[in-house]
Amino acid sequence: QPDLKMLTAPSPSLRFTLVSIGALDSAFNIESASYPSDEAATRDKLQLRLTEANEYFWGVHDSAASEGNRLVGFVCGTLTTSDAITEESMSQHEPNGRTLCIHSVVVEGARRRRGIGMWMIKSYVAEVFRSTPVERILLMCKKPLVEFYGAAGFELVGPSDVVHGQDPWFLMRLAPAQCD
């Protein structure tokens, strides 16, 4: 199980903070470059998540970037009142929900495999369980990422019933007790 209390950024110039609506274009560019076109969120979906579920839209900002405090990766999700990920739960935000469905965990291509993604997901989980009423976190991933999310504390539930794009997805789950 991951130690979510001792999180250190992979670089001193990186900060993990809420993403503002002003970073929508940057978020969309990172999303589009990270997923096949039939799986990536549209700009409108990201805007909906930024405006309706902003407390669940966190990003890594690099203060050393030439443009200043630039978004280089993000995690976003929405709440559902369901205990499972469904097509419906993935397309809306239910503010009274206690299950968080993570939609995206993405890092700019040039910055991948440097520990940013793991730091980002562990920081996100710690923040969500510390400051929100979420009781469980669910996400879907492809088979090559099951081990990555397992290392972040998620457990494999099994194949997902949700069809999104061409490849099969796997359901992963995390509850606060798994973070102790």
Side-chain angles (χ1 to χ4, degrees), residues 52-175:
E52 292 187 16
N54 183 251
E55 65 270 35
Y56 301 102
F57 205 125
W58 286 74
V60 174
H61 299 83
D62 188 350
S63 61
S66 58
E67 307 86 12
N69 199 27
R70 184 167 60 97
L71 183 69
V72 299
F74 66 89
V75 181
C76 69
T78 54
L79 295 179
T80 181
T81 55
S82 173
D83 290 338
I85 293 180
T86 63
E87 291 286 347
E88 184 180 4
S89 69
M90 294 291 285
S91 63
Q92 62 187 355
H93 176 63
E94 297 176 283
N96 295 326
R98 297 276 195 237
T99 300
L100 175 64
C101 300
I102 293 180
H103 299 284
S104 299
V105 179
V106 292
V107 176
E108 284 182 331
R111 294 177 181 250
R112 292 183 189 146
R113 304 208 183 280
R114 297 184 187 177
I116 295 172
M118 185 60 70
W119 171 65
M120 192 170 62
I121 191 70
K122 286 182 177 183
S123 297
Y124 185 81
V125 165
E127 184 60 33
V128 164
F129 285 140
R130 182 189 68 75
S131 64
T132 73
V134 166
E135 295 173 358
R136 77 194 58 76
I137 300 175
L138 301 175
L139 63 81
M140 297 182 325
C141 68
K142 294 186 179 175
K143 190 169 181 111
L145 289 173
V146 167
E147 189 175 318
F148 172 81
Y149 290 111
F154 286 79
E155 67 176 329
L156 175 63
V157 176
S160 172
D161 293 334
V162 176
V163 176
H164 185 65
Q166 296 182 12
D167 298 323
W169 293 83
F170 293 84
L171 182 62
M172 305 286 292
R173 172 180 53 215
L174 182 68

